Amino acid sequence: MFSLKNVLYFQAGLGVLANMCLLCFYIFIIVGHRPKPTDLISCQLTFIHIMVFLTGGDLLLTDIFESLNIENDFKCKATFYISRVMRCLSICTTCLLSVFQAVTISPSTSYLAKFKQKLRKYMVYVFSCIWSFSFSYSSSRIFYVRGFTNVSESNQMQITKSCLLFRMNSIIRVFIFTVTTSRDVFLVGVMLITSTYMVIILCRHQRQCKHLHSIKHLRASPEKRATQTILLLVIFFVVMYWVDFVISTISVLLWRYDPVILMVQKFLMYAYPTISPLVQISSDNRIIIMVKNMYSKHHQRFF
């Protein structure tokens, strides 16, 4: 149990560090250079990942509340609410990233090509809708979370070290479960459809290139590398998200959260925000070039 907790802290530390570096890069690109349309989405997703680490368990935000002597009930409601908002934002933004990349690489003769300029034009409105939906939808469960007490009741379940989830009315529980499942199935379905479409486009492009060039001289374009990265992230996200969803659903239905299961669920919850920035950093040539330039400047200054 202790070793599992150490693994979680290491995972969270690595994830926060990687996402902070990536967030600084995106801010630098957006403010000082001409960003790609996907940079705005990736920047928002990186910020969401940082908040997932800070609110996803007994980590930094909980320690801040304790140092300020804030009431345990408020602390639990705040961390649980922000955590649910970030969870909703994560799946919505990942879906948006997948859709946008599919539209970006679509051929000019395809039906999706006419949406390229429209998506860029209305990006701010899309962001506003996603955030508004996430904040409003996640507010429904805040009334069923309270601070930990020594009084043991059959209608309460401990979900973190200091927070309890109280049993909902059966009608409300079924309604929330139905809406949540419908939302997740729809968004994951859109991700899988756009991912399949991008794979078809990439395979078709690969065949065309083989007719024009020898295989030895084929080089991946920036758009192809970006598409492959997003495909990898989307597939990984879908797998981790549904495993986490199954564990959460079973735990709520059985009305029991085993401490080991809770640790495993946190590990799965942190897996995507940890892997995602590492994959993006290693696959984005702009980051590699910027790091090399910074290193050469510092090397010349000292030597």
Side-chain angles (χ1 to χ4, degrees):
M1 187 74 176
F2 181 73
S3 60
L4 279 174
K5 197 163 188 178
N6 286 340
V7 170
L8 278 179
Y9 274 104
F10 173 78
Q11 185 186 27
L14 178 63
V16 170
L17 180 62
N19 279 288
M20 286 295 291
C21 293
L22 192 61
L23 182 63
C24 291
F25 165 74
Y26 282 129
I27 292 174
F28 175 77
I29 291 293
I30 292 170
V31 173
H33 298 74
R34 290 186 62 185
K36 297 178 182 178
T38 53
D39 288 340
L40 297 172
I41 305 174
S42 297
C43 182
Q44 175 177 280
L45 190 59
T46 304
F47 171 76
I48 292 167
H49 288 165
I50 294 172
M51 293 303 298
V52 166
F53 282 113
L54 298 182
T55 61
D58 304 313
L59 294 175
L60 183 61
L61 197 62
T62 304
D63 295 334
I64 291 174
F65 282 140
E66 287 180 356
S67 64
L68 296 174
N69 294 321
I70 294 177
E71 185 182 347
N72 191 35
D73 194 51
F74 174 80
K75 175 183 66 178
C76 288
K77 289 181 183 295
T79 53
F80 184 80
Y81 176 65
I82 298 172
S83 176
R84 303 309 296 184
V85 169
M86 293 303 131
R87 181 185 174 90
C88 185
L89 283 171
S90 181
I91 187 172
C92 291
T93 309
T94 304
C95 181
L96 177 63
L97 183 63
S98 179
V99 170
F100 199 95
Q101 188 63 26
V103 173
T104 300
I105 68 168
S106 60
S108 57
T109 54
S110 69
Y111 177 76
L112 293 176
K114 65 180 183 179
F115 293 104
K116 288 183 180 180
Q117 295 301 323
K118 290 183 179 180
L119 272 177
R120 296 179 185 181
K121 183 179 179 182
Y122 296 108
M123 186 64 69
V124 176
Y125 300 105
V126 175
F127 283 159
S128 300
C129 290
I130 289 175
W131 280 81
S132 299
F133 170 75
S134 299
F135 275 107
S136 58
Y137 175 77
S138 303
S139 62
S140 59
R141 298 189 185 184
I142 198 171
F143 303 104
Y144 299 95
V145 179
R146 296 178 191 172
F148 182 76
T149 60
N150 293 324
V151 180
S152 180
E153 298 179 22
S154 59
N155 67 334
Q156 65 185 29
M157 177 175 64
Q158 188 172 357
I159 52 175
T160 65
K161 182 177 67 177
S162 56
C163 292
L164 296 171
L165 178 65
F166 282 77
R167 193 185 292 271
M168 306 174 189
N169 179 281
S170 57
I171 297 175
I172 297 175
R173 186 168 66 249
V174 170
F175 175 75
I176 292 177
F177 177 79
T178 304
V179 173
T180 303
T181 306
S182 301
R183 179 203 67 186
D184 293 351
V185 169
F186 172 75
L187 292 174
V188 170
V190 171
M191 284 188 243
L192 293 176
I193 292 171
T194 53
S195 298
T196 304
Y197 175 76
M198 285 189 281
V199 169
I200 294 171
I201 294 296
L202 287 178
C203 292
R204 189 181 299 168
H205 181 262
Q206 189 77 9
R207 286 198 301 268
Q208 291 173 348
C209 288
K210 284 182 179 179
H211 287 298
L212 299 174
H213 307 283
S214 65
I215 298 176
K216 292 182 180 179
H217 293 90
L218 283 175
R219 292 183 63 186
S221 64
E223 290 81 8
K224 183 177 179 180
R225 284 196 300 271
T227 304
Q228 289 172 338
T229 301
I230 291 172
L231 277 172
L232 178 63
L233 293 177
V234 167
I235 293 170
F236 186 72
F237 175 84
V238 170
V239 173
M240 291 295 102
Y241 192 89
W242 278 106
V243 173
D244 175 54
F245 179 81
V246 169
I247 293 174
S248 299
T249 303
I250 293 174
S251 299
V252 171
L253 290 176
L254 296 177
W255 203 247
R256 184 175 179 273
Y257 249 125
D258 185 85
V260 177
I261 296 295
L262 189 60
M263 286 288 184
V264 172
Q265 186 181 13
K266 286 181 181 178
F267 178 81
L268 294 172
M269 184 176 66
Y270 293 154
Y272 175 69
T274 303
I275 299 297
S276 173
L278 298 176
V279 171
Q280 288 177 280
I281 289 171
S282 62
S283 62
D284 197 328
N285 282 341
R286 296 173 301 169
I287 300 178
I288 299 171
I289 292 170
M290 188 174 71
V291 171
K292 287 181 178 178
N293 290 337
M294 290 174 63
Y295 175 78
S296 61
K297 287 180 181 179
H298 284 291
H299 186 76
Q300 291 173 0
R301 184 177 299 176
F302 287 105
F303 300 99

